[in-house]
Amino acid sequence: MVSVSGVFRPRPTYLHNTNLDLNSVQELPDSHLWPALDAEGSGNLTYVESMPVIDLADPDVVGRMGHASETWGGFHVTGHGVPLGLIDRLESQVCRLFSLSREQKLNAARVPNSFNGYGQVPIAAFFEKSLWSEGCTITDSPVNWASRLWPDDYIEFCDVMEEYKKEMKALCVRIMWLMLASLGITKKDFDWAGPNGDLDGSWTTLQLNWYPPCPDPNRAIGLVAHSDSPILTVLYPSSTSGLQVLRENGTQAHWVTIGPVPGSFVVNVGDLLQILTNGRFRAPLHRAFVNRTHHRLSVPFFIGPPKDALITPLSKLVSADRPQLYRAVTWDEYLGIKRKYFQDALAVVSLRAPMDEPSNVSDHGSLESG
């Protein structure tokens, strides 16, 4: 048996200058200049394809979600019931946060060994060049750091985030069971989803992303190509285009710009759901480009199992014709693998013979040729 460490090399990590105020930069600094970004990566080339739009009231919602999860790895969802007023308040509070000065925002900077608070997305550390974006991560109550930003006026921000997280968790649970129903999976097939299948004890995180206008968007990138690690992501994309998803068709692959659909969220399959479904659902590679004249915000909500839950392909989806593709792994263990191997993480837990070749994602976030 070939050792994983002999085939996949851990990715190096980098420290970045966190003192640069992207909102005031007039010329793209070398620290944010990415080499050889393709036209698609800069948002200049758009393929005429539309990610499926699925209304939760559609009589064929189960079948449509299953097909979209197998062919796209995601879809737009409408008819979700999340109050539009709450979405408006969410966007207002995100704009309020990122309109603060750099010095003010650093009062909420993450402390070592914590994901809570202000800073770049964690995957930025895998790349030598910096991302044209900033973010804020909420894994539990934001009161501790929000009160440092607005000592006398933090309650509204915290209330909106907590209310939104509650709505997102309920929506994620609903969507996950509909998706899995397309494969004949029920709540009885899980031993970690809780007695009512409401994912009590699940891991959840809310990420606030901000992409300021960029003086040279053709040579900068907001978020590098990656797949999401947990079970499911539900993303509020705002009204400005910037999200791209990799579409694969046999040996061909290209990036598709996902335009906004009013009143919808974007749902992405995560790595753990790919493992659970034995590869039937695919966690899509996606990335974000930036804009010369407009800022963009996005708010993904991530949900995963309890940290000690054992994730393995569901027995109903394993057969002689489709043998088990991945070994069992806890969520906590998989997070450690992803932090070490980044986009090779799924290959590291694969039971198929490993190939002595690198990940298909290059350091500039594009798909490598051939």
Side-chain angles (χ1 to χ4, degrees):
M1 182 176 179
V2 179
S3 168
V4 166
S5 61
V7 176
F8 299 104
R9 297 187 300 275
R11 294 287 296 256
T13 56
Y14 302 88
L15 293 174
H16 296 289
N17 175 17
T18 59
N19 295 317
L20 183 66
D21 184 359
L22 299 182
N23 294 284
S24 62
V25 172
Q26 301 300 313
E27 184 176 336
L28 188 69
D30 181 70
S31 59
H32 290 71
L33 196 159
W34 288 66
L37 274 178
D38 53 64
E40 297 169 87
S42 64
N44 291 334
L45 184 58
T46 303
Y47 281 81
V48 184
E49 286 187 87
S50 298
M51 177 179 270
V53 180
I54 301 174
D55 192 322
L56 286 179
D58 189 327
D60 190 29
V61 63
V62 169
R64 294 196 63 205
M65 279 191 181
H67 183 261
S69 299
E70 294 192 51
T71 57
W72 275 84
F75 46 88
H76 293 278
V77 64
T78 61
H80 44 71
V82 179
L84 295 181
L86 175 59
I87 296 172
D88 289 342
R89 287 190 291 141
L90 171 76
E91 184 159 343
S92 176
Q93 291 299 322
V94 173
C95 291
R96 178 189 178 202
L97 168 63
F98 289 109
S99 65
L100 294 173
S101 69
R102 184 70 171 175
E103 291 73 19
Q104 288 175 293
K105 286 179 286 192
L106 288 175
N107 288 327
R110 300 186 190 110
V111 298
N113 301 316
S114 172
F115 285 108
N116 271 306
Y118 175 77
Q120 282 208 322
V121 292
I123 63 173
F126 284 110
F127 297 90
E128 185 175 1
K129 295 295 184 178
S130 295
L131 304 177
W132 196 266
S133 59
E134 49 187 320
C136 208
T137 307
I138 304 173
T139 59
D140 49 30
S141 171
V143 167
N144 186 44
W145 54 262
S147 61
R148 298 198 297 269
L149 296 177
W150 306 286
D152 302 314
D153 191 21
Y154 63 89
I155 293 177
E156 183 180 4
F157 177 89
C158 297
D159 286 349
V160 169
M161 297 304 143
E162 292 299 328
E163 184 180 352
Y164 187 77
K165 285 167 62 180
K166 183 178 178 180
E167 289 281 349
M168 284 297 101
K169 182 181 177 184
L171 181 61
C172 282
V173 171
R174 184 181 178 188
I175 289 173
M176 186 189 83
W177 290 121
L178 289 170
M179 293 166 68
L180 290 172
S182 71
L183 301 178
I185 302 301
T186 70
K187 297 174 183 179
K188 296 180 180 179
D189 296 308
F190 284 75
D191 58 7
W192 51 263
N196 300 314
D198 53 8
L199 302 188
D200 269 353
S202 59
W203 172 97
T204 62
T205 290
L206 186 66
Q207 175 70 29
L208 315 179
N209 293 326
W210 185 259
Y211 306 93
C214 179
D216 192 352
N218 294 339
R219 298 195 295 171
I221 192 164
L223 194 59
V224 290
H226 66 287
S227 61
D228 294 334
S229 302
I231 296 288
L232 208 61
T233 302
V234 175
L235 170 80
Y236 172 62
S238 77
S239 59
T240 302
S241 293
L243 174 65
Q244 292 184 324
V245 171
L246 188 70
R247 286 283 280 147
E248 298 184 66
N249 181 18
T251 60
Q252 302 296 315
H254 59 265
W255 292 97
V256 177
T257 297
I258 306 301
V261 174
S264 76
F265 294 105
V266 175
V267 177
N268 277 339
V269 171
D271 293 351
L272 291 192
L273 191 52
Q274 180 168 325
I275 293 173
L276 278 171
T277 61
N278 204 31
R280 289 283 297 274
F281 294 168
R282 305 290 293 180
L285 284 177
H286 54 284
R287 63 187 185 183
F289 62 88
V290 291
N291 191 291
R292 185 183 299 274
T293 56
H294 300 290
H295 74 259
R296 174 176 175 263
L297 65 87
S298 69
V299 184
F301 178 85
F302 306 100
I303 190 165
K307 287 290 189 74
D308 59 352
L310 194 64
I311 304 301
T312 190
L314 295 162
S315 58
K316 285 184 177 180
L317 304 179
V318 176
S319 64
D321 293 332
R322 192 178 186 89
Q324 183 172 333
L325 299 180
Y326 305 98
R327 69 172 177 86
V329 62
T330 66
W331 173 214
D332 202 36
E333 180 189 2
Y334 188 76
L335 277 176
I337 293 171
K338 193 72 174 267
R339 292 187 191 114
K340 187 174 183 180
Y341 294 99
F342 190 46
Q343 280 308 119
D344 285 327
L346 276 172
V348 167
V349 299
S350 173
L351 294 177
R352 291 175 290 187
M355 297 179 292
D356 193 9
E357 61 182 34
S359 165
N360 65 349
V361 182
S362 71
D363 280 358
H364 52 76
S366 305
L367 185 75
E368 292 183 336
S369 59

